[in-house]
Amino acid sequence: MTDTETGMDLIALRDGVRGVLAEQASHERVKAFADAEQILDKALWDQAAGLGWTALSAPECFGGLGLGALELGVVQQELGRAVAPLPWLGTMLAVEILSHAGEGPQVAAWTEGLATGTRIGAVSMVTPEALSTDLILSSGAGGLVLNGFAGDLMDGSAADLLILLARREDGKLAWVVVEPSIDGVTPEKIGTVDRTRHLAQVRFTDVWLPSERLLAVDAERVGQALLATASLAIAADCDGGANAILELTLDYLKTRQQFGKPIGSFQALKHRCAEHKIALVASGGLLAEATDRLARGDDEALRLALAAKALCASVYFRIAEDAVQLHGGIGYTWEHPCHLYLKRARLNQQLFGGETAHLDRVAQLLLAAA
């Protein structure tokens, strides 16, 4: 399969990413990362950057590869498949926001840093509800002054470039760049059920920023574009993880024996697995259609992306939950990787808005188009 717009061989990309993660993000290594409650696997991040994964969507004029939604989806599926602890999505979303902000020297420097992996990005988490923020941006001392609170920053403690949604004095929304090490703020880690990733929060009290930190973009339009991209990325992560844990479960059912035969030969278990496979085919089909529409800039892309996220996250959680049951006692142990998938599935259901919020927005978009 080839991206007709970019000429990228998507199968080769998938196989390449999968091969690296099989060596560098094995279940044992991921569990060690989770047990140590780390915020960044620096060796894995450096390898991903060296292989160009962080440069995928950055414009070529800023040192990127200029690729699009299809390629991003392939990489995110493989990261989900390996439950890889990599702060890749936040960095890609930061690149997306900057891609709307022109070609000024400061924007170029930020984008090049993200593309080369010398910077890690995190952004405000947009949801299907109306855009909102607890950050207030005002003018002062020849620059900008930021006050308030920014929460739910995905992998934010590992980031050195934050792009946050703030409300200006005139009531309008704006995207503003914060560099924690320069601006004297520290993202505080918030633990989640999924220890392969984390959230972070930052409090601002009269934090001064230079004027060029305010991005010259349509905040509402960028927020909707970001929501579509993030929803599809989480859906892809779910699809990769769901396929992986189902394959792991099928392998177990083929080898674990009771009454002298593999337990996978029992009709009740075969039916459960068949239902999971049917659900995966359906959710995977919706994900593929939504990704293709986004890559082509279709007007229906946001609606399909929201629907794909809701369905893929639901299917992933059901499969991961049942995988624990189908593995029997070993599925409940800390040593077995089942819990890594179940916890990742649970967090994916909540990231960038829950299922109800996504389906409500899908309904609103359908009614508006009727």
Side-chain angles (χ1 to χ4, degrees):
M1 184 168 58
T2 301
D3 184 338
T4 55
E5 294 292 326
T6 64
M8 170 65 74
D9 184 337
L10 299 177
I11 300 298
L13 176 62
R14 181 201 67 187
D15 291 346
V17 175
R18 186 175 297 184
V20 170
L21 292 175
E23 293 182 1
Q24 304 300 327
S26 64
H27 288 147
E28 290 71 23
R29 183 163 170 173
V30 172
K31 281 187 287 186
F33 176 91
D35 290 345
E37 299 190 5
Q38 298 179 62
I39 60 172
L40 177 66
D41 185 334
K42 185 67 166 54
L44 180 59
W45 176 258
D46 288 344
Q47 182 155 15
L51 292 169
W53 299 358
T54 53
L56 277 184
S57 62
E60 293 178 88
C61 59
F62 297 149
L65 300 174
L67 301 175
L70 295 178
E71 290 79 8
L72 291 177
V74 168
V75 174
Q76 190 64 60
Q77 274 181 311
E78 293 309 311
L79 295 177
R81 185 180 179 84
V83 286
L86 207 61
W88 184 77
L89 177 56
T91 300
M92 294 302 97
L93 295 178
V95 168
E96 169 145 357
I97 297 175
L98 292 174
S99 69
H100 293 270
E103 299 182 355
Q106 186 63 77
V107 171
W110 289 324
T111 307
E112 288 172 3
L114 294 168
T116 58
T118 55
R119 284 180 179 273
I120 295 174
V123 305
S124 292
M125 191 173 294
V126 293
T127 66
E129 295 94 349
L131 293 179
S132 63
T133 177
D134 293 322
L135 285 177
I136 303 298
L137 186 67
S138 54
S139 301
L144 308 167
V145 178
L146 197 57
N147 281 286
F149 173 79
D152 294 339
L153 303 174
M154 191 173 167
D155 293 316
S157 292
D160 45 22
L161 189 77
L162 307 177
I163 305 185
L164 305 176
L165 187 65
R167 191 169 296 281
R168 304 178 65 173
E169 293 168 301
D170 59 5
K172 294 181 179 179
L173 293 171
W175 289 95
V176 61
V177 176
V178 173
E179 299 186 67
S181 61
I182 296 175
D183 302 325
V185 296
T186 303
E188 176 187 350
K189 177 185 175 182
I190 304 171
T192 66
V193 64
D194 173 18
R195 295 190 184 184
T196 64
R197 297 169 295 180
H198 69 272
L199 300 176
Q201 60 185 14
V202 190
R203 296 184 185 280
F204 296 87
T205 303
D206 294 329
V207 174
W208 184 87
L209 304 174
S211 300
E212 58 266 29
R213 300 290 188 84
L214 180 64
L215 298 179
V217 298
D218 181 332
E220 292 280 355
R221 186 169 65 85
V222 169
Q224 296 309 304
L226 203 67
L227 178 61
T229 302
S231 296
L232 271 185
I234 296 299
D237 191 279
C238 291
D239 188 68
N243 275 286
I245 190 60
L246 183 58
E247 291 169 15
L248 200 65
T249 303
L250 292 176
D251 288 342
Y252 178 76
L253 297 180
K254 291 174 185 174
T255 55
R256 177 76 168 88
Q257 296 210 355
Q258 281 187 346
F259 309 112
K261 60 176 67 174
I263 60 175
S265 64
F266 299 150
Q267 190 175 48
L269 301 189
K270 286 196 288 188
H271 283 182
R272 283 162 67 175
C273 293
E275 288 171 358
H276 290 322
K277 185 62 180 177
I278 291 169
L280 261 180
V281 170
S283 60
L286 178 57
L287 172 62
E289 176 67 15
T291 305
D292 181 63
R293 295 287 191 98
L294 185 65
R296 291 190 281 114
D298 190 287
D299 292 340
E300 299 293 316
L302 176 59
R303 177 173 62 80
L304 289 169
L306 295 173
K309 195 271 184 179
L311 181 59
C312 290
S314 176
V315 168
Y316 186 15
F317 181 75
R318 290 203 305 271
I319 293 176
E321 185 179 44
D322 201 31
V324 175
Q325 300 281 338
L326 290 168
H327 274 84
I330 194 173
Y332 287 88
T333 64
W334 190 256
E335 290 73 22
H336 198 276
C338 267
H339 68 93
L340 295 174
Y341 289 94
L342 179 58
K343 292 168 181 174
R344 187 136 173 156
R346 176 58 86 188
L347 183 59
N348 277 355
Q349 285 185 304
Q350 302 306 319
L351 292 174
F352 299 96
E355 181 177 347
T356 300
H358 277 72
L359 294 181
D360 283 349
R361 183 67 184 282
V362 169
Q364 292 168 7
L365 292 171
L366 283 171
L367 289 172

